[in-house]
Amino acid sequence: MTTPRVLFVCVKNGGKSQMAAGLMRAVAGPAVEVDSAGTRAGTALNAESVQSLRDVGVDISGGHPQQLTDEMVAAADLVVVLGSEARVEPVGGTPVEVWETDEPSTRGIEGAERMRLVRDDIAARVEDLARRLAAPA
């Protein structure tokens, strides 16, 4: 059995997709190959995202945003797009799954509380995905 490869994508690759990748690495370890990218990659990680994961023992501080390429999509077994702003076209039959993640700022929730809610929403989805990937075909 080959190791599944998951690519997490958002717009800037500084927050949500980085969080999902870090959480998947923590949950699945070497059982899943993980990468992340942005459709319009930024230049730095979101400090609140980094701190929110640090609060649960996951360190993504050494990461950096990277620009999404067709080659990255084609190399993945599954592409997960976080949020509705990023758009990813399938390449070579790679399935694309969209997660409409919670966005607390639309309800006036900001700062550490916002990031905790975002993190917890993504963490639940990552845990579900890890279980699906581990299940026999």
Side-chain angles (χ1 to χ4, degrees):
M1 183 172 121
T2 62
T3 304
R5 181 181 202 105
V6 178
L7 172 63
F8 293 101
V9 177
C10 66
V11 175
K12 293 183 180 178
N13 190 225
K16 292 177 183 176
S17 58
Q18 290 280 352
M19 292 175 80
L23 288 162
M24 181 60 84
R25 287 184 190 103
V27 168
V32 177
E33 290 184 43
V34 180
D35 206 355
S36 68
T39 56
R40 291 189 312 270
T43 58
L45 297 184
N46 177 300
E48 289 178 332
S49 295
V50 172
Q51 183 58 52
S52 182
L53 285 189
R54 192 175 284 138
D55 291 346
V56 295
V58 177
D59 184 9
I60 62 169
S61 63
H64 61 279
Q66 58 181 343
Q67 181 61 42
L68 180 67
T69 65
D70 286 346
E71 292 78 19
M72 294 171 81
V73 174
D77 295 306
L78 174 65
V79 175
V80 177
V81 179
L82 288 97
S84 59
E85 292 179 26
R87 301 273 190 249
V88 177
E89 293 299 320
V91 176
T94 301
V96 176
E97 190 172 298
V98 178
W99 292 355
E100 292 293 336
T101 57
D102 180 40
E103 186 42 70
S105 63
T106 63
R107 300 186 307 277
I109 301 170
E110 298 292 342
E113 177 67 6
R114 172 186 174 263
M115 291 314 303
R116 183 188 64 76
L117 291 167
V118 168
R119 178 198 66 214
D120 293 351
D121 180 57
I122 293 171
R125 293 166 187 266
V126 163
E127 289 171 11
D128 176 66
L129 178 57
R131 280 191 295 276
R132 287 190 283 143
L133 293 172

